Amino acid sequence: MGQRQLIAIEMDVLAKNNALAAHNREHFDEAAQLVLNLVSSPGSGKTTLLCETLRQLADKRPCAVIEGDQQTSADADRIRATGVPAVQINTGKGCHLDAKMVHDACHQLPANEGGILFIENVGNLVCPASFDLGEKYKVAILSVTEGEEKPLKYPDMFAAAQLMVINKIDLLPYVSFDVARCIENAKRVNPYIQVIQVSATTGEGMDAWLNWLATA
């Protein structure tokens, strides 16, 4: 297959996805939902952070979750254990969620007017950057165990994100991670990106994260 044909196919796929993403966004806006696309590398701790977030939001704001993984329902089971409804999407060999998957999953969730829909994307900092799901914001979660150069290695994702959450800060005494340099790298890619430092384990920074959610 020639390069021009590959480009044409990619553009067609993205155009179809973006059209459905726009439809999703209209649906979310009508329901006054805050929809967040949580993106990260595997092992960043985003499910742990999400579970703790849901526990702290209980009785404060209705929440629902769309959980994306290549295999298993382990993360969705953890989400449901908090009492929050969750739909698991297994992508098989696919490395990201798309707007059609999110559209279909939404119809399996209860009404969530005025609430928050968290979309936990497949662990990958490349493919999810290109696919609009209809979310309001992308939130890039980066753990201190990964290295402060990640925003420069995966610039498209951090350029597309409105917020970078530096996670697992309780491990800072035990790892070589320069927080200031990480933030500097992220702002080189995206001067407008906001940054929150958090540990779901100790609770440090959770108030800042919850305040961001309240005003997003």
Side-chain angles (χ1 to χ4, degrees):
M1 186 179 294
Q3 185 65 25
R4 288 185 178 179
Q5 189 175 2
L6 282 171
I7 292 172
I9 290 173
E10 181 178 354
M11 291 177 65
D12 185 53
V13 168
L14 289 175
K16 290 179 179 177
N17 180 83
N18 290 342
L20 189 49
H23 170 77
N24 289 347
R25 186 169 286 109
E26 289 178 4
H27 172 76
F28 299 144
D29 288 345
E30 288 174 2
Q33 281 183 294
L34 171 62
V35 181
L36 302 177
N37 184 2
L38 308 183
V39 294
S40 77
S41 299
S44 68
K46 67 179 180 294
T47 305
T48 298
L49 175 62
L50 180 53
C51 286
E52 182 59 26
T53 301
L54 296 172
R55 282 190 283 267
Q56 296 206 28
L57 288 175
D59 302 323
K60 296 178 182 177
R61 193 168 179 183
C63 295
V65 175
I66 295 173
E67 181 67 43
D69 283 301
Q70 288 187 309
Q71 299 292 339
T72 84
S73 63
D75 287 347
D77 292 340
R78 290 174 61 188
I79 297 297
R80 295 186 191 108
T82 70
V84 171
V87 172
Q88 178 73 55
I89 300 175
N90 289 129
T91 61
K93 294 183 179 181
C95 57
H96 61 87
L97 297 178
D98 62 31
K100 178 68 163 58
M101 295 174 185
V102 169
H103 175 271
D104 293 345
C106 285
H107 288 286
Q108 301 177 48
L109 288 167
N112 188 30
E113 290 195 10
I116 305 177
L117 173 62
F118 295 95
I119 303 170
E120 185 173 356
N121 218 314
V122 178
N124 184 342
L125 284 175
V126 181
C127 302
S130 299
F131 283 80
D132 183 6
L133 306 179
E135 74 273 12
K136 184 174 183 181
Y137 298 127
K138 283 184 175 67
V139 177
I141 300 171
L142 172 66
S143 73
V144 301
T145 59
E146 297 177 66
E148 61 269 11
E149 76 287 349
K150 275 289 176 70
L152 300 181
K153 286 186 173 183
Y154 303 97
D156 289 349
M157 180 57 76
F158 289 87
Q162 283 72 27
L163 174 70
M164 177 175 70
V165 175
I166 301 178
N167 197 23
K168 302 185 183 181
I169 59 171
D170 54 300
L171 298 180
L172 281 172
Y174 313 105
V175 296
S176 178
F177 184 90
D178 189 329
V179 173
R181 186 175 177 184
C182 179
I183 295 172
E184 178 186 350
N185 288 340
K187 289 189 176 293
R188 283 176 61 186
V189 172
N190 180 355
Y192 303 103
I193 197 168
Q194 301 175 62
V195 181
I196 293 174
Q197 302 176 47
V198 68
S199 167
T201 302
T202 67
E204 185 178 358
M206 285 298 295
D207 284 345
W209 165 235
L210 294 171
N211 287 339
W212 186 89
L213 292 173
T215 58

